[in-house]
Amino acid sequence: MDPRGVDLGTALGPLELKNPVIAASGTFGYGREYSSIVPPGSLGGIVVKGISLEPKAGNPPPRIVETPSGMLNAIGLANIGVEAFIEEKLPWLRSLDTKVFVNIYGHRLEEYRAVASAFKGLEGVDALEVNISCPNVDKGGMAFGTDPGMAARVTEAVLSSTDKPVIVKLTPNVTDITEIAKAVEAAGAHGLSLINTIAGMAVDVETRMPRLANVWGGLSGPAIRPVAVYMVYRVVRSVKIPVIGIGGILEARDALEFLISGARAVQVGTANFVNPKATLEIIQGLRDYCARKGIAKLSQIIGTLET
Amino acid sequence: MRVDLVKAHIAANGSVAKDTYLMELRLETEEFLAAPGQFVMLRILDTTDPLLRRAFSICSLIKPNVIQIMYRVVGKGTRLMKDMKEEETLELLGPLGNGFQGPERGKKAVLVSGGIGVAPLFFLASRLKPHDLKFIAGYGSKEDVVPPGLLGLEEGSVLFATEDGSCGYHGLVTELFEAELNKTLSRQLQVYCCGPWEMLKKLAHICYEYDLDCQVSLESAMACGVGACQGCAVKASASYPPDYFHVCSHGPVFSSSDIDWEG
């Protein structure tokens, strides 16, 4: 079988993707940074860096530190704000032949509403991905995504302010991720993406200082992949809406772990830093795998885990 | 600007001073369009630990597709690199960032390095006429000194300062720099420097006092090298609206007055 003949198409509810490989938020800038190496049109989608209502400068340095097979980051959600994003970044994104997901976040329900409504009717934005891992300033800084009720309210707030499909990105820093997933589904989300980074910390024993100025950060990279695959496996069995798998995918075999476990698409994050061509190599690797297995459509392997 | 993602074959790799190595890389590209002050990110293939690429200043461009980088062994990545042999292969992303500017016509260049910060200044020196530059290199001790002849500079063309006094001026490179300034009447100088943060902060202050234009090349941990991850933040001085610059894409070379040295 010719790998070129394999149909990699996948659907996320109303969204039809040409292939299941999406560049993850915060690892692909606003899409342009890697465009000389990765033609955006070759990807299933791009999730642009998290956007908030006001511009945000981010955390003081050091913001990143490498750990065994992973990295901790505390960038602090630095971004140019929704107004500048729409004016400066969206026109170029609009020209791309790929699905554009805009990742949004806030620290209050009204902020989520305001950011979401800024994209109402705007061409070039195919869906919103909602980061619910942020602290809720009205609830003592507890992350929205750690409580089913609060996660549902954010989802409703965004849904009532937009005409776009809404994907909610789940944090793994919870006791039972399926409880959050079910609450978000019941609130009307079109899909889920998981996992966001795992909270972590590293200490410089010479200076006895945390290695991140923010003290703690989010762990990503291949170190977290088994945790992510397990959470996707569990969430897929608890909800009916499509799930996007994220966590330490470096190559096609890693993406396949998520797809076989039931994810309809995957996001590639930290791998972009390690190998800017990672997304392209994963797409080719998926074709080769399907061809080798005699599978004409990639969708035929989604959720085929043998247990 | 074109950024290449290419195989880099090791043509030579050896020690040039204590814990300091020079690696020559033959790139699978016809012409590598790099300028002094720019950097590359190298990936050690087939491992996830170390995971991320490592950033290195370009130390020289000896043929259109052959570069040298100089590195100090400080962690896992550089420990693996020092044991790599000829014909082993790394993967290179670059050239990245913005290099040094000038000097303006009529201005003499003063290059000031601390430790391994000498690497990008060797590249800059190779592009300047010898009588248009003064090169002052600071090290901890004599065994840290990288012989300028290895990079094609004349022996004797570089002034040394060592903290223990074992080679050249006994003291900090910043003191030697100020002493040299006081010997020169001309203020038609353009200062270029690279080294540890505290040294650059001191130089920035001296250049401010003497009203000299000063360009600094900064170092930072970074993940992507192209402005996507925003990990390599450095605080901008109050007069500039964005609170943080990214060393990789806004720098690594900055005007010293653009940086908040207390930040």
Side-chain angles (χ1 to χ4, degrees):
Chain A
M1 190 174 172
D2 186 347
R4 284 171 299 184
V6 175
D7 175 5
L8 292 183
T10 188
L12 297 170
L15 292 174
E16 301 274 345
L17 273 58
K18 65 176 87 168
N19 67 59
V21 179
I22 304 168
S25 177
T27 65
F28 218 65
Y30 297 105
R32 209 158 190 165
E33 287 80 352
Y34 284 112
S35 59
S36 67
I37 293 168
V38 179
S42 54
L43 301 178
I46 292 176
V47 189
V48 296
K49 177 131 187 76
I51 304 290
S52 53
L53 191 55
E54 302 295 334
K56 188 138 188 260
N59 287 330
R63 291 178 172 184
I64 56 170
V65 59
E66 186 167 326
T67 56
S69 298
M71 64 177 280
L72 284 167
N73 88 78
I75 306 297
L77 295 164
N79 79 99
I80 58 175
V82 71
E83 201 175 306
F85 172 77
I86 290 171
E87 202 163 299
E88 296 164 23
K89 307 291 180 183
L90 194 56
W92 183 77
L93 287 165
R94 196 174 279 147
S95 71
L96 303 180
D97 177 27
T98 191
K99 297 293 180 209
V100 174
F101 298 74
V102 174
N103 183 289
I104 62 167
Y105 76 91
H107 295 287
R108 291 194 154 92
L109 286 177
E110 304 86 85
E111 272 177 50
Y112 279 100
R113 274 194 205 99
V115 185
S117 55
F119 293 102
K120 217 178 208 173
L122 275 190
E123 235 180 277
V125 177
D126 296 292
L128 299 181
E129 181 183 64
V130 190
N131 176 359
I132 59 169
S133 304
C134 311
N136 180 349
V137 294
D138 292 330
K139 296 274 180 192
M142 183 183 170
F144 286 97
T146 57
D147 175 77
M150 231 149 48
R153 280 203 293 284
V154 179
T155 307
E156 283 158 8
V158 172
L159 280 164
S160 66
S161 313
T162 186
D163 51 356
K164 313 280 184 196
V166 172
I167 312 279
V168 177
K169 186 171 184 175
L170 303 185
T171 170
N173 304 313
V174 294
T175 311
D176 184 356
I177 197 166
T178 64
E179 290 301 314
I180 313 288
K182 284 187 275 190
V184 168
E185 178 185 47
H190 299 87
L192 301 170
S193 55
L194 62 132
I195 58 175
N196 207 328
T197 54
I198 301 178
M201 179 172 166
V203 176
D204 182 336
V205 298
E206 298 303 322
T207 61
R208 302 191 207 176
M209 283 163 70
R211 288 192 177 273
L212 295 173
N214 188 57
V215 181
W216 65 279
L219 182 65
S220 64
I224 73 167
R225 192 192 313 134
V227 178
V229 172
Y230 175 59
M231 289 197 169
V232 165
Y233 163 82
R234 289 198 57 213
V235 167
V236 161
R237 277 150 190 77
S238 333
V239 298
K240 293 199 168 59
I241 52 177
V243 169
I244 304 172
I246 322 169
I249 297 173
L250 292 183
E251 49 189 85
R253 301 185 70 84
D254 309 336
L256 283 160
E257 286 196 54
F258 286 93
L259 297 168
I260 291 167
S261 299
R264 294 187 178 274
V266 294
Q267 289 182 16
V268 176
T270 302
N272 296 312
F273 306 150
V274 178
N275 172 17
K277 281 192 176 144
T279 46
L280 299 181
E281 290 174 10
I282 292 166
I283 293 165
Q284 186 57 44
L286 292 176
R287 280 188 199 290
D288 293 342
Y289 174 86
C290 289
R292 182 162 60 80
K293 297 279 188 186
I295 298 166
K297 291 180 174 206
L298 180 82
S299 56
Q300 290 166 347
I301 65 151
I302 289 171
T304 56
L305 187 74
E306 307 267 354
T307 47
Chain B
M1 187 178 62
R2 199 186 77 195
V3 175
D4 279 321
L5 180 62
V6 292
K7 292 271 187 299
H9 305 287
I10 298 174
N13 186 28
S15 170
V16 291
K18 190 185 172 204
D19 295 334
T20 308
Y21 291 77
L22 189 65
M23 184 184 268
E24 186 175 311
L25 295 165
R26 198 180 67 251
L27 313 183
E28 279 189 8
T29 181
E30 280 183 15
E31 194 178 17
F32 193 66
L33 297 167
Q38 287 192 293
F39 68 100
V40 297
M41 293 201 80
L42 291 174
R43 176 187 176 203
I44 299 171
L45 295 162
D46 303 322
T47 177
T48 61
D49 188 17
L51 179 66
L52 299 171
R53 284 165 193 269
R54 297 289 186 268
F56 299 95
S57 291
I58 300 164
C59 187
S60 75
L61 184 62
I62 52 183
K63 281 183 198 159
N65 68 337
V66 178
I67 65 165
Q68 287 178 312
I69 58 151
M70 194 184 289
Y71 59 98
R72 245 180 92 80
V73 175
V74 292
K76 198 170 216 166
T78 44
R79 268 203 302 280
L80 288 170
M81 279 172 62
K82 85 171 166 56
D83 293 328
M84 292 184 85
K85 303 276 180 278
E86 269 177 53
E87 291 315 310
E88 283 193 74
T89 300
L90 296 158
E91 197 191 56
L92 179 145
L93 180 69
L96 300 168
N98 302 295
F100 296 107
Q101 302 290 315
E104 284 170 35
R105 193 177 285 269
K107 275 193 176 178
K108 187 168 173 170
V110 183
L111 283 53
V112 189
S113 68
I116 193 68
V118 75
L121 298 183
F122 274 133
F123 191 12
L124 178 62
S126 74
R127 295 287 173 91
L128 299 171
K129 294 193 186 83
H131 62 271
D132 285 339
L133 82 102
K134 185 182 277 279
F135 199 148
I136 310 171
Y139 294 99
S141 182
K142 190 179 175 181
E143 69 250 31
D144 303 318
V145 174
V146 180
L150 287 177
L151 280 304
L153 294 185
E154 275 180 46
E155 297 291 345
S157 64
V158 178
L159 291 177
F160 296 111
T162 50
E163 287 173 48
D164 67 0
S166 55
C167 177
Y169 175 84
H170 185 175
L172 298 174
V173 72
T174 49
E175 296 160 9
L176 179 57
F177 169 67
E178 199 162 7
E180 287 296 313
L181 273 186
N182 289 328
K183 276 204 279 185
T184 318
L185 289 174
S186 166
R187 287 290 173 264
Q188 291 299 305
L189 303 174
Q190 168 67 56
V191 180
Y192 299 97
C193 44
C194 184
W197 181 267
E198 287 304 317
M199 170 201 139
L200 299 180
K201 177 178 169 179
K202 188 79 198 291
L203 285 170
H205 181 71
I206 296 169
C207 289
Y208 174 77
E209 301 261 292
Y210 284 77
D211 195 22
L212 298 174
D213 194 48
C214 175
Q215 293 174 29
V216 295
S217 176
L218 298 183
E219 185 182 30
S220 168
M222 57 180 70
C224 73
V226 299
C229 76
Q230 310 198 7
C232 57
V234 59
K235 199 158 177 245
S237 57
S239 53
Y240 286 78
D243 281 334
Y244 292 100
F245 291 121
H246 303 134
V247 171
C248 71
S249 55
H250 298 123
V253 176
F254 294 91
S255 170
S256 64
S257 58
D258 287 350
I259 303 299
D260 178 351
W261 294 99
E262 304 304 323

